[in-house]
Amino acid sequence: MWHLTGYWTSLTILLVLCLFLKPPGSHASVSYKPNIVLILADDLGIGDVGCYGNDTIRTPNIDRLAKEGVKLTQHIAAAPLCTPSRAAFLTGRYPIRSGMDATNDYRVIQWAGASGGLPPNETTFAKILQQQGYITGLIGKWHQGVNCESRNDYCHHPLNHGFDYFYGMPFSLMNDCQITKLAEKDRVLRTKFWLYTQTIVLAVLTLSIARLIGLASVTWKIITCFAWFGFLFFASWFSSYGFIRYWDCIMMRNHEITEQPMVVERTTSLILREAISFIERNKHGPFLLFVSFLHVHTPLITTELFLGKSRYGLYGDNVEEMDWMVGRVLDAIDKKGLKNTTLTYFASDHGGFLEAQEGKAQLGGWNGIYKGGKGMGGWEGGIRVPGIFRWPGVLPADTVIDEPTSLMDIYPTVIYLTGGIVPQDRVIDGQNLMPLLQGSIQHSAHEFLFHYCGMYLHAVRWHQKDSGALWKAHYVTPIFQPEGAGACYRRGICPCFGEGVTHHDPPLLFDLSRDPSEAKTLSPATEPLFDTIISRIGRAVQEHRQTLTPVPQQLSLYNIMWKPWLQPCCGTFPFCWCDKEGDSAHPAL
């Protein structure tokens, strides 16, 4: 009897060891559908985060996430601006494939009442997870359009792209949303309109006075017509630009507008409340939660709790508040016992905004050792972003991976984890990251990454796996203003084409594996393989372009202009205003 008992005890121990112990090089697998929490910051520079080298701004919660998971040091955005980068994130495809990049200077969705946006025929990861039985939610910024042809068709709305629940801004935060800030949208154009209007008014007054005192023989009919022209001109542009807070600075819950205009002082509380509430409501899962922060985009709305607390002014305050928000979301996951069954991801949509300044105050981020920033499609500072994954028991803790990865990789990764199938009727540019994250492969599946500025290809990255080299060829670079400044301060943001860029033939070549800050341009004299490298990258560009097909341009001038009949409105247009939140936000703090 003792021998039989010992036999069963030994067998039990052996089975337990087989189930829970893994030989070196193997990785954990799971038989359940994990919860997915994706956290995306807005305009955060890679150099703003402690675990990426910042020692002046405190980010303990993001740092904890990296300590408990995997940190990517070469995580690349598919575009250096909000709308195209987020379109690529949601679809796993370069934004040029969906028409979500531009040939003009307007490279993002410009109005909540515009007709452009993420096409309904694009399949987001949320839509596929929804089909896999997930409850899906988006809290925060959307910036992928709202309507197409009528005020309530919602063809670009999150609920039409796979999200069961949406709370946040259908547009994007900007200075115009805060009364105390200078106007941001089309500031130069609006200044010109004011000047033209004042000129017309002055001309009408001058003609009227001249007519009254007999110095001019112009008739009152002509003066009246001129005055009417001036009034119509003023009304035509002021009807949109004069009410930006009402047209764009709005908050929605699903299809319902809850604030128009939004009260920015309580937005942080509302977003936190909604994110935590979503986790609590759906704790039995599986769920997908995409937390899309308004932080750290200007005007850097920051609660009193964090004002003046950092060593880096208002921008530092805003980053530290954003980190605190990350901590609150992580706490909600942990308190519900979901930590080990949840894949948590943190990133930024692109690099920090170097040109964001107010006097001597810097209101944009820092991109560390990397050249350039927001708006620049080629230089690393515009596209290299933080990238952190945590999934205890499945992903190794405190691990750093220095391989090229992309925000587009989230798409096939979460689809793989949730049992879905990546669409086979279109090109998917992202790669499943799980083998790399778990260590079953040592090199990224990406050989080439293409870096666009608008619809213009500015640079290409070649990961030469056999040699370990990481080549970067720049075909086009922006002209910094002033020269050597590292940004386009006089323009406000760097352009993608025209007189503001330089074309390079042959391309500028760098080896990022030895020179990540892109400081030393290689040449045939300093790199014996120069011609071979440039030739190979050139063939890759040709092959890539053969995969592109013409699609409607969502950011064309017509699609990005304001259309009154598409304007989301809480009330009867043009009397659009409401506040359905009251003071309900504060308990979330």
Side-chain angles (χ1 to χ4, degrees), residues 293-428:
F293 285 136
L294 303 184
H295 292 58
V296 291
H297 198 289
T298 51
L300 302 175
I301 55 172
T302 309
T303 59
E304 292 184 7
L305 187 65
F306 286 90
L307 283 176
K309 300 299 183 182
S310 78
R311 295 164 53 190
Y312 196 60
L314 182 59
Y315 182 80
D317 299 344
N318 201 248
V319 173
E320 292 190 2
E321 180 173 70
M322 183 269 299
D323 176 79
W324 170 76
M325 294 174 74
V326 171
R328 291 296 306 274
V329 173
L330 296 180
D331 289 345
I333 295 170
D334 297 352
K335 288 177 181 177
K336 293 301 176 183
L338 305 175
K339 182 175 181 178
N340 293 341
T341 56
T342 300
L343 173 68
T344 306
Y345 166 79
F346 175 84
S348 176
D349 56 357
H350 50 70
F353 191 6
L354 301 180
E355 293 91 348
Q357 297 177 326
E358 192 173 274
K360 295 183 179 180
Q362 180 67 29
L363 301 180
W366 182 51
N367 298 313
I369 65 171
Y370 306 110
K371 183 182 295 184
K374 176 179 178 177
M376 305 180 211
W379 295 120
E380 288 292 282
I383 54 177
R384 192 183 288 223
V385 298
I388 302 170
F389 289 85
R390 183 190 76 170
W391 189 0
V394 178
L395 299 182
D398 200 16
T399 302
V400 178
I401 294 179
D402 187 24
E403 289 283 310
T405 57
S406 170
L407 264 68
M408 296 184 292
D409 296 339
I410 300 305
Y411 186 89
T413 301
V414 300
I415 290 174
Y416 163 77
L417 288 173
T418 57
I421 299 175
V422 171
Q424 303 298 305
D425 61 344
R426 64 200 64 190
V427 176
I428 301 297

Side-chain angles (χ1 to χ4, degrees), residues 92-105:
R93 290 152 50 83
Y94 288 108
I96 193 173
R97 298 193 190 280
S98 56
M100 289 294 281
D101 232 327
T103 57
N104 53 60
D105 288 327

Side-chain angles (χ1 to χ4, degrees), residues 338-515:
L338 305 175
K339 182 175 181 178
N340 293 341
T341 56
T342 300
L343 173 68
T344 306
Y345 166 79
F346 175 84
S348 176
D349 56 357
H350 50 70
F353 191 6
L354 301 180
E355 293 91 348
Q357 297 177 326
E358 192 173 274
K360 295 183 179 180
Q362 180 67 29
L363 301 180
W366 182 51
N367 298 313
I369 65 171
Y370 306 110
K371 183 182 295 184
K374 176 179 178 177
M376 305 180 211
W379 295 120
E380 288 292 282
I383 54 177
R384 192 183 288 223
V385 298
I388 302 170
F389 289 85
R390 183 190 76 170
W391 189 0
V394 178
L395 299 182
D398 200 16
T399 302
V400 178
I401 294 179
D402 187 24
E403 289 283 310
T405 57
S406 170
L407 264 68
M408 296 184 292
D409 296 339
I410 300 305
Y411 186 89
T413 301
V414 300
I415 290 174
Y416 163 77
L417 288 173
T418 57
I421 299 175
V422 171
Q424 303 298 305
D425 61 344
R426 64 200 64 190
V427 176
I428 301 297
D429 299 295
Q431 299 285 345
N432 176 18
L433 286 177
M434 286 305 292
L436 183 66
L437 295 175
Q438 292 186 309
S440 61
I441 63 173
Q442 299 304 309
H443 293 296
S444 164
H446 289 289
E447 183 177 10
F448 294 95
L449 285 172
F450 303 92
H451 307 309
Y452 282 90
C453 186
M455 291 185 66
Y456 302 91
L457 184 65
H458 274 208
V460 179
R461 177 186 311 252
W462 178 25
H463 183 213
Q464 195 176 11
K465 302 176 186 179
D466 54 352
S467 69
L470 187 65
W471 308 107
K472 177 99 163 283
H474 289 261
Y475 293 95
V476 183
T477 56
I479 299 173
F480 294 144
Q481 298 175 331
E483 185 177 352
C488 302
Y489 292 104
R490 292 174 186 164
R491 284 179 175 268
I493 195 166
C494 287
C496 296
F497 63 95
E499 297 179 354
V501 302
T502 300
H503 294 263
H504 303 282
D505 187 12
L508 302 180
L509 182 66
F510 301 92
D511 182 357
L512 296 180
S513 62
R514 294 178 294 175
D515 178 26

Side-chain angles (χ1 to χ4, degrees), residues 61-84:
N61 295 293
I62 300 173
D63 298 345
R64 169 166 62 97
L65 199 63
K67 193 73 175 176
E68 296 175 350
V70 180
K71 180 180 74 173
L72 305 175
T73 64
Q74 271 196 77
H75 204 40
I76 309 299
L81 287 176
C82 303
T83 295

